[in-house]
Amino acid sequence: MERFDTVIIGGGIGGLMCAYRLHEQNKDAKILILERGKRLDERNCPIITGKVKKCIKCPSCSIMEGMAGAGAFSDGKYNITTEYGGWLTNFMDRDVVLDYINQADDILIRFGACVERYHPNDELKVQCLQHDLHMQQGEVKHLGTDANYGTMLALIQDLETYITIRTMATVIDVDKDSHVVTYQTKKETVEVVGDKIVFAVGRIGNRMFESWCSKNKIELYNNQVDVGVRVELPYEVWQNFSKKIYEPKIYYKAGHYGDTTRMFCFNERGYVVTENSDGVLTVNGHSYKDKAKQSKNSNFALLCSTYFTEPFDQPVEYARSVASLANKISGGTVLVQRLGDLEAGRRSTVSRIKNSSVQPTLDAIPGDLSLCMPKRQLDNIVETLHALDKVAPGTANQDTLLYGVECKYYSARPKCKDFELDGTKGIYAIGDGAGFTRSLSQAAANGLIVGDLISKK
C-alpha cells in the first residue's frame, strides 16, 4: 500500500497552500492531494463556453469543484482583514491570522497575482452609518476571474513538480485509527496511507465531511446559514463605492424582524452564474479583469443570516431545501424576478424581463421568488434593498433583478484543538468545508497554519 507523509483531501486554495508550506518546510516530504473534480485546465463549464444556455448538471461541476476549488472561477477577491471572511480569530490572535493572510498573499504574488489593493474609506462608512447601514472595512485585492485562474494554474503547475496530485479521485472513507484513505476513480478503488490527514474539502465537500465526523463520533457545532438572492443592476448605481473600495460589504438589521441581512460578494461589470452543489442549483457571481470581457451590470449577494437552535441541527439541509424548491418551480434551473414585480405580488414574465432596463447576464427562468423563499427572508431582503437605496440611489428600482436562490452555508464546525480533530491523532480539518473560514484569504491562511503545525510535529 502506497504511503505518504501527508494526504490532503481537496485541491482548493486551502489544500494547495497546506501542500506548499509542507514542502517548503521539508523538501523530502511525500505529499498527496486527492481531488474529486477535474484538473484546472480541464474545468470547462458548458454554459460559459457557450455550448448550452442552462445548467445540465454535469457529473463534476466545473464551477464548484476541481483543482483550485470553487475559488478558481470566483471573482478572485482577496480580503486582507480579520473583520470578516471567517472565524480563525476564534483560535488565534488577530495579528497572527493577519500575518498568515499576508503570507498567503505573498505566495500568490509569486505566481502572478496583482499587488494593487483597495483601502478602507471612512467617508463611505459614515455615509452608510447615517442610514443605519454598517459597512465592514478591510484591504481588498481584486484578482479577477480570469487573472485568478492564471495565478492558480501557475501555483498548481509548480506544486506538481514536487508533490503528487490525483484528480477525479473521490474519497469514500478515512480510517480514523490506521489512516488508510480509500478513494475511487473511474476504473478502480484505491487505498493509501497518510501519516497525517488533512480534510480540505471546501463547501462542495461539507456533506461528506460532516457524515464522516458523525460516523466517527466527532462532535459538530452548527454555524449560521445564509439564504437570499443575487441582485443585478446597472454598474453605475454602485460605481461610487466600487471605484473607491471595490467591494462594499454592508449589513443591515432589518427593522421588522431584527435579523441581519448582508450585502457582499460584489462584482463590478460582472456576470451572474449558476452553481451545481451536489445536484442543487444556486446562483453566484463573478467578474473579469479584462475590460473586453466585462458586462454593463454589477451584481452582489444579499443574504439573510439564520442561526438555528435545538432541536434542529441541519442548517445546510434547510438551505438546500429552499434552493431545491426554486429549482422545481423553475423547471430544473434558477429563477429571476424584477423587484417591481415582486413588490406588486406578481411573477415576472419573459416579456417583462425583455422590456426591462436591466438585461440579465444569466439565462434564468422568469418567475416568482415568493413561491419558494420563506417570507421572513424575503421581507428582510426587500427592506434592505430600500435601505441600500439611500446610499446608492437606483438599488431599489423597479427593474433591479433578483436571482434565486443564493445560499451560503458554513459547515458544522468539528470539535478540535489546533485544527486537529477531537479523538484523532494526526487528522486535521481546514477551510470552508470545516466551518473555519468563508473566504479565499482565510482559507489560504488556514492551509499555511496547518502546514506549519504539521511541520513542527
Side-chain angles (χ1 to χ4, degrees):
M1 192 180 298
E2 211 172 358
R3 181 175 289 273
F4 293 87
D5 293 302
T6 304
V7 175
I8 299 170
I9 303 168
I13 194 168
L16 295 174
M17 286 293 176
C18 186
Y20 186 92
R21 179 52 53 87
L22 287 169
H23 174 76
E24 192 176 49
Q25 300 284 19
N26 180 4
K27 298 295 191 292
D28 296 324
K30 284 191 66 179
I31 303 163
L32 170 66
I33 290 180
L34 295 173
E35 168 55 52
R36 82 176 197 175
K38 299 177 181 177
R39 292 171 52 89
L40 181 54
D41 55 3
E42 294 175 352
R43 292 175 64 179
N44 294 297
C45 174
I47 299 177
I48 293 176
T49 57
K51 293 181 180 179
V52 299
K53 290 187 176 181
K54 293 182 173 64
C55 180
I56 56 175
K57 296 188 177 181
C58 301
S60 175
C61 177
S62 288
I63 294 292
M64 289 297 292
E65 61 186 351
M67 289 304 297
F73 294 100
S74 69
D75 187 38
K77 280 186 287 291
Y78 196 85
N79 302 312
I80 305 168
T81 178
T82 58
E83 189 172 347
Y84 49 82
W87 300 273
L88 293 182
T89 53
N90 290 356
F91 304 90
M92 312 176 80
D93 290 341
R94 290 184 181 276
D95 290 345
V96 176
V97 174
L98 190 60
D99 179 60
Y100 271 105
I101 288 173
N102 278 298
Q103 287 181 48
D105 183 42
D106 289 340
I107 293 169
L108 292 175
I109 289 172
R110 290 175 213 164
F111 293 97
C114 65
V115 297
E116 296 82 13
R117 297 184 179 191
Y118 290 86
H119 300 283
N121 187 299
D122 288 339
E123 183 182 339
L124 292 177
K125 184 170 184 175
V126 170
Q127 183 181 340
C128 289
L129 285 170
Q130 289 170 343
H131 299 284
D132 201 20
L133 294 164
H134 305 269
M135 189 172 79
Q136 296 175 298
Q137 298 212 84
E139 291 188 328
V140 179
K141 294 176 68 172
H142 176 225
L143 307 180
T145 305
D146 42 359
N148 182 50
Y149 175 93
T151 299
M152 300 308 294
L153 187 62
L155 171 60
I156 292 167
Q157 288 172 341
D158 179 73
L159 284 170
E160 285 179 319
T161 64
Y162 46 81
I163 73 168
T164 304
I165 296 176
R166 293 173 186 164
T167 55
M168 301 304 289
T170 302
V171 173
I172 55 176
D173 196 21
V174 176
D175 188 282
K176 187 178 74 169
D177 300 315
S178 67
H179 286 203
V180 172
V181 180
T182 306
Y183 68 92
Q184 286 182 329
T185 68
K186 288 183 178 179
K187 297 180 180 179
E188 59 182 343
T189 299
V190 183
E191 290 184 342
V192 297
V193 179
D195 182 41
K196 301 291 189 297
I197 309 290
V198 180
F199 281 96
V201 296
R203 283 190 293 122
I204 195 70
N206 76 292
R207 297 175 82 199
M208 167 268 193
F209 177 64
E210 289 183 14
S211 176
W212 184 87
C213 286
S214 297
K215 173 185 170 183
N216 288 279
K217 296 181 172 53
I218 296 169
E219 194 172 352
L220 294 167
Y221 304 93
N222 283 327
N223 280 333
Q224 72 191 61
V225 63
D226 292 347
V227 176
V229 298
R230 174 70 47 170
V231 180
E232 186 168 43
L233 34 60
Y235 87 94
E236 293 91 349
V237 174
W238 281 91
Q239 188 179 23
N240 183 44
F241 280 77
S242 62
K243 291 303 179 188
K244 295 174 181 176
I245 60 173
Y246 187 73
E247 180 180 29
K249 281 182 176 289
I250 300 171
Y251 70 88
Y252 176 68
K253 286 198 172 183
H256 186 64
Y257 300 103
D259 297 334
T260 297
T261 303
R262 300 190 298 134
M263 170 194 180
F264 65 106
C265 195
F266 183 89
N267 299 289
E268 185 182 58
R269 290 183 173 271
Y271 295 83
V272 180
V273 296
T274 306
E275 293 184 337
N276 177 8
S277 300
D278 284 337
V280 177
L281 302 187
T282 55
V283 291
N284 208 330
H286 69 222
S287 64
Y288 295 103
K289 200 80 169 177
D290 184 352
K291 291 185 178 181
K293 296 181 179 179
Q294 295 175 350
S295 77
K296 296 179 180 180
N297 299 342
S298 290
N299 66 73
F300 57 86
L302 191 59
L303 307 184
C304 181
S305 300
T306 302
Y307 298 84
F308 288 103
T309 57
E310 292 180 346
F312 186 68
D313 63 354
Q314 297 180 13
V316 172
E317 293 306 315
Y318 167 80
R320 286 174 60 85
S321 69
V322 174
S324 296
L325 185 55
N327 293 170
K328 289 179 181 179
I329 292 172
S330 62
T333 182
V334 294
L335 293 171
V336 62
Q337 187 173 20
R338 294 170 59 252
L339 176 59
D341 291 332
L342 174 64
E343 294 191 296
R346 65 188 183 192
R347 65 165 293 183
S348 288
T349 61
V350 173
S351 61
R352 289 196 189 106
I353 296 291
K354 186 177 180 180
N355 293 323
S356 173
S357 61
V358 183
Q359 287 303 296
T361 56
L362 175 68
D363 187 16
I365 296 297
D368 187 351
L369 290 166
S370 68
L371 295 177
C372 59
M373 285 193 63
K375 181 179 185 295
R376 182 173 184 137
Q377 280 92 329
L378 209 51
D379 286 349
N380 289 336
I381 286 164
V382 171
E383 187 174 346
T384 303
L385 282 169
H386 283 281
L388 292 170
D389 194 74
K390 295 174 183 177
V391 295
T395 300
N397 279 0
Q398 297 276 300
D399 287 343
T400 293
L401 299 178
L402 310 178
Y403 295 83
V405 172
E406 179 154 351
C407 302
K408 291 288 186 290
Y409 29 82
Y410 311 105
S411 306
R413 184 182 302 169
K415 187 176 181 180
C416 64
K417 182 178 180 181
D418 292 335
F419 306 102
E420 187 174 28
L421 300 179
D422 186 52
T424 73
K425 188 175 181 181
I427 301 181
Y428 298 80
I430 61 175
D432 290 18
F436 299 130
T437 67
R438 61 179 185 189
S439 65
L440 284 175
S441 58
Q442 287 211 25
N446 203 179
L448 294 180
I449 290 165
V450 169
D452 278 342
L453 289 169
I454 291 174
S455 297
K456 289 175 183 176
K457 289 189 176 182

